[in-house]
Amino acid sequence: MIIISLILLQGCSQISHIDKNPLVEKILNENDSYFYLDTSEYPANDPALPVGIFDSGTGGLAVLEVILNLDNFNNETHEFMESGDGRPDFEKEYFIFLADQANMPYGNYSRENNTALLKEHIIKDTQFLLDRKYYLQVQDRHPRFDKDPVKTIVIACNTATAVGKEDVDAFMERAGLEVKVIGIIDAAVEGALDMFAVHEDGTIAVMATAGTVASGGYPGAIEQRKKEKQLKGRILVFQQAGVGLAGAIDGSPEFIDPAADHPRAEYKGPSDKNSELPLRLSILSRYPFNWGDNNMLYNGDKENPTHLQINSVENYIAYHLVSLLENILHSPQPEKLKALLLACTHYPFYREVFRQKLVELRNY
């Protein structure tokens, strides 16, 4: 069974370190606060409780889908089976999925220099999953109390994992709760490094939001896990902030407008006029763009365009892959690209487009 919550989380006070955090004080000590959680009565170690999963939006449903379809163990003996036993490993579990759509996308907070507010949202996500109370509808005057608390929390957002998992772990420790917190980064890193032999060289590329890239979460986790796995090869890590891609997937008018047929003033994506996200006319032929159906907007003609703007998800993917490959190619002693991590839960919905574009760019 799955319970999906699309909620508006209250409040906007800035927070700092977890030990001096006013929101945490409200949760743990102020019993007249909406956020108060009586941890002394928390049903610890109850296997019947649900697994909680949260993301900034519905992209995290891709993570939930993987969990629901996972079949790597024998459900009777609990032993690992590479081909599974034909039964989903979590067939007897149920899940509560929280999509914080009121405050999405989490990946933009670092660009606005507002990671403190993002950390607050992450703590509120955690509090919601741990608590029993919720509002079924916006207009409800009083909360309900029939939601089960969770036994485990999966942070299905790369940015939230990179920016806030340590805070969530610290909160659990301070609250005295034995609730396991699992971040998405460690699982992705493990999968990427499993592709390397002990002495193999190569490159791991990370396509992520600006917030995840700025956090340095993936390079740090890759380096740490590489040492733990005793891999001896030269493994390079390159990150590409997929600015505009998640917005285009969500249909944000700042990045995409299917009805447009000419360059738009409100556009904030890559362009030959955008110095922060340059679309380089000097290598225009290298981008595997789809030029039909107004997927690219520009003035002039295709051979000599100006005010060039991307207007499809497919072309955002093409742009960011070429930008990534350019960075790898022009680095000192580049290594072959071995793995590409789609480190935003929006991106896997377009995994086939990524594969197609990588095939087109394989001889780059």
Side-chain angles (χ1 to χ4, degrees), residues 65-328:
E65 180 184 19
V66 171
I67 294 173
L68 291 175
N69 292 322
L70 195 65
D71 182 15
N72 290 134
F73 290 85
N74 184 303
N75 285 24
E76 301 300 329
T77 66
H78 306 297
E79 295 178 348
F80 176 78
M81 297 178 63
E82 187 171 349
S83 58
D85 62 356
R87 295 166 55 191
D89 292 336
F90 295 98
E91 64 178 359
K92 295 184 179 180
E93 299 288 349
Y94 85 97
F95 301 82
I96 296 178
F97 180 88
L98 166 63
D100 184 15
Q101 298 211 113
N103 299 301
M104 68 177 295
Y106 283 2
N108 286 352
Y109 283 79
S110 66
R111 294 183 66 202
E112 302 297 329
N113 296 315
N114 207 358
T115 55
L117 181 58
L118 174 56
K119 286 172 176 280
E120 177 181 309
H121 295 326
I122 293 167
I123 293 296
K124 287 180 178 177
D125 293 338
T126 302
Q127 183 272 345
F128 174 83
L129 292 174
L130 295 173
D131 204 359
R132 293 184 179 275
K133 60 180 174 289
Y134 68 101
Y135 289 91
L136 185 63
Q137 300 181 57
V138 173
Q139 63 267 28
D140 288 351
R141 296 177 61 87
H142 303 287
R144 301 189 180 200
F145 294 86
D146 57 352
K147 179 181 75 64
D148 285 331
V150 301
K151 61 185 175 185
T152 301
I153 291 178
V154 177
I155 305 177
C157 173
N158 289 272
T159 301
T161 300
V163 172
K165 183 178 182 296
E166 288 185 359
D167 285 355
V168 176
D169 287 334
F171 172 83
M172 294 298 182
E173 182 176 358
R174 181 174 172 188
L177 297 177
E178 296 182 6
V179 176
K180 177 71 173 177
V181 180
I182 302 170
I184 196 172
I185 289 179
D186 290 341
V189 167
E190 188 72 20
L193 290 176
D194 280 347
M195 300 178 67
F196 286 81
V198 174
H199 295 282
E200 186 175 6
D201 301 331
T203 292
I204 297 175
V206 180
M207 184 80 71
T209 65
T212 300
V213 169
S215 74
Y218 270 92
I222 290 170
E223 182 61 27
Q224 178 179 343
R225 190 63 183 130
K226 176 190 172 186
K227 292 178 181 178
E228 293 170 351
K229 293 172 73 72
Q230 299 183 9
L231 298 178
K232 308 299 183 182
R234 182 171 180 260
I235 299 178
L236 306 180
V237 181
F238 285 83
Q239 300 190 95
Q240 175 68 25
V243 179
L245 178 51
I249 293 171
D250 285 333
S252 171
E254 294 179 337
F255 300 108
I256 193 171
D257 181 359
D261 59 5
H262 61 276
R264 302 179 297 118
E266 63 271 28
Y267 176 78
K268 294 185 178 180
S271 170
D272 58 314
K273 304 299 181 182
N274 188 338
S275 59
E276 294 184 1
L277 293 170
L279 205 167
R280 295 165 55 191
L281 296 179
S282 61
I283 61 168
L284 185 58
S285 62
R286 298 185 188 179
Y287 297 104
F289 288 145
N290 178 350
W291 290 80
D293 300 322
N294 292 319
N295 289 323
M296 297 296 296
L297 306 177
Y298 54 92
N299 292 330
D301 55 58
K302 179 180 173 182
E303 284 67 36
N304 190 29
T306 62
H307 296 86
L308 195 58
Q309 298 178 356
I310 297 174
N311 200 40
S312 73
V313 172
E314 175 188 354
N315 285 344
Y316 269 97
I317 291 172
Y319 168 80
H320 285 299
L321 284 176
V322 168
S323 299
L324 172 66
L325 293 174
E326 281 286 303
N327 289 335
I328 295 173

